[in-house]
Amino acid sequence: MTPVELSRTVLHAVRCAVDEGQLSVVVPERVVVSEPGAGGCGEYATNVALQLARAAGKPPRTVAEILRPRLIAADGIEDVVVTGPGFLNFRLGQEVDPLQDLVREIRAQGQRYGHGDALVGQVVTLRVPYEVRAEVVADAVVRIVATQGGRATVQHHGGRAAVEHVEHVEHGELVELRPVPAPEDPAPLGPDAARWALLHPAPHDRPRITADHLVQREGNPLFRVRYAHARVRSLGRGAARLGFAAEPGPLHTAGADTAVTPALQAPASQAPALQAAALHTPLSDYPRILTAAATHRAPDRLARHLVTVADAVLPFLTCVLPIGEEKPSAAHRARLALAEAAGTVLAGGLSLLGIDAPEHL
């Protein structure tokens, strides 16, 4: 339940009490909720009972006790406690948040997130020519197949370029893995850029062996992936200097004075949560992509998905740390947890491709 929804719920309780004759007051146009003050409890509190007491001709605590049963019965509210002269304090129910659950899952599994048992007991023999791209693709496939419980071995032979040919043999599956060869030696690009240049294109596409893979700009997919990972690690270091760490939770900050007004239908404080929603699908799809990459011996699928994750997380990273005089909050901890989950996926995927995931870039 958001602050706006809670404000509407309180207003509804007041209106019901008036309609049933328990309160004789004019229903206010708005109700303000805020964080509980000294002596309060729960996530939110309101002083609406104190505001209505004079018009109702009743003590504020009496007004609060009239409203309390109606509020407890509302969906999303777990408990209501009356404190002080008549403050209503709310403890909200735990709502199921798929994104929070996903972040917890990734944090628990680390770089093993996405590993499964789709190929348990299966043995794949990769027959590849003596050619640099085929060697690099086979090396990545061996690691990716292992994430799904399978085992891949490599045999060498000569042969022309082809995409893939599969035969079933007595002790497993024989795969002719012959991607279109590299047009020139990729070694001058360095190990990471060379591997990316060979793995990112589909096997039937001719790889580009150009210096574009080394340029640090947005047009370079490898740069975006590695930069996104390095930014996440940098934010973790920045958070540590500010004295807070990652913790899954709601991604928006409750406003100090959130009221029911048309202007607050979509509070600006909830913008990070809306922005983070773009990350849910790429992160939740990662296990499916990894399984497909293993099943089809296609590391290019994994490489392209890492670009999707990086492009989703980069815009979100601007709201992770507090800005200016803003104090670190539970929302900042939750945003950092989501960012680190994306960083874990990027690091795990790059590792499977044999590419370094830098802490600094």
Side-chain angles (χ1 to χ4, degrees), residues 55-262:
K58 301 177 185 294
R61 285 192 68 94
T62 302
V63 175
E65 292 294 348
I66 290 173
L67 298 176
R68 182 174 177 272
R70 295 175 171 81
L71 294 168
I72 290 178
D75 292 338
I77 296 178
E78 187 170 319
D79 195 15
V80 180
V81 178
V82 179
T83 61
F87 291 99
L88 287 159
N89 297 260
F90 302 94
R91 187 169 77 246
L92 303 183
Q94 297 298 314
E95 298 180 0
V96 176
D97 186 333
L99 187 56
Q100 288 184 44
D101 289 346
L102 177 62
V103 171
R104 291 188 178 94
E105 180 182 358
I106 296 173
R107 286 169 63 84
Q109 297 184 21
Q111 290 190 22
R112 290 191 59 81
Y113 171 66
H115 292 208
D117 56 5
L119 299 180
V120 166
Q122 296 189 32
V123 178
V124 180
T125 299
L126 306 172
R127 194 157 63 185
V128 301
Y130 288 99
E131 189 275 324
V132 63
R133 189 185 186 194
E135 297 273 9
V136 169
V137 170
D139 178 69
V141 169
V142 168
R143 280 191 291 270
I144 293 171
V145 166
T147 69
Q148 304 306 309
R151 182 168 66 88
T153 60
V154 179
Q155 291 181 354
H156 292 86
H157 73 101
R160 296 175 304 171
V163 176
E164 182 182 281
H165 175 66
V166 177
E167 295 178 22
H168 292 281
V169 295
E170 184 178 355
H171 299 293
E173 194 174 55
L174 177 64
V175 177
E176 294 279 356
L177 197 63
R178 293 179 290 177
V180 174
E184 57 188 285
D185 183 8
L189 296 177
D192 291 330
R195 292 185 71 89
W196 182 268
L198 299 174
L199 293 172
H200 181 258
H204 55 268
D205 291 333
R206 184 173 297 277
R208 294 182 304 104
I209 309 301
T210 67
D212 290 346
H213 296 294
L214 300 174
V215 178
Q216 296 193 12
R217 63 185 181 195
E218 291 184 358
N220 179 1
L222 174 60
F223 170 72
R224 297 204 303 276
V225 172
R226 301 177 84 214
Y227 177 64
H229 177 267
R231 278 287 311 279
V232 169
R233 298 297 174 241
S234 175
L235 291 173
R237 295 190 294 271
R241 289 193 293 270
L242 293 173
F244 73 97
E247 182 180 341
L251 295 161
H252 68 277
T253 303
D257 292 299
T258 303
V260 178
T261 62

Side-chain angles (χ1 to χ4, degrees), residues 260-325:
V260 178
T261 62
L264 290 175
Q265 293 296 315
S269 61
Q270 294 187 32
L274 299 176
Q275 194 176 43
L279 261 172
H280 190 188
T281 297
L283 294 182
S284 62
D285 272 357
Y286 180 72
R288 179 181 63 80
I289 296 294
L290 197 53
T291 300
T295 304
H296 298 283
R297 280 73 61 179
D300 58 294
R301 298 191 184 194
L302 173 59
R304 289 194 294 272
H305 190 71
L306 294 181
V307 178
T308 300
V309 174
D311 289 345
V313 74
L314 280 169
F316 173 72
L317 298 181
T318 59
C319 70
V320 171
L321 297 184
I323 299 174
E325 299 299 318

Side-chain angles (χ1 to χ4, degrees), residues 27-41:
V27 178
E29 293 184 1
R30 65 176 193 168
V31 169
V32 175
V33 298
S34 63
E35 295 181 359
C41 58

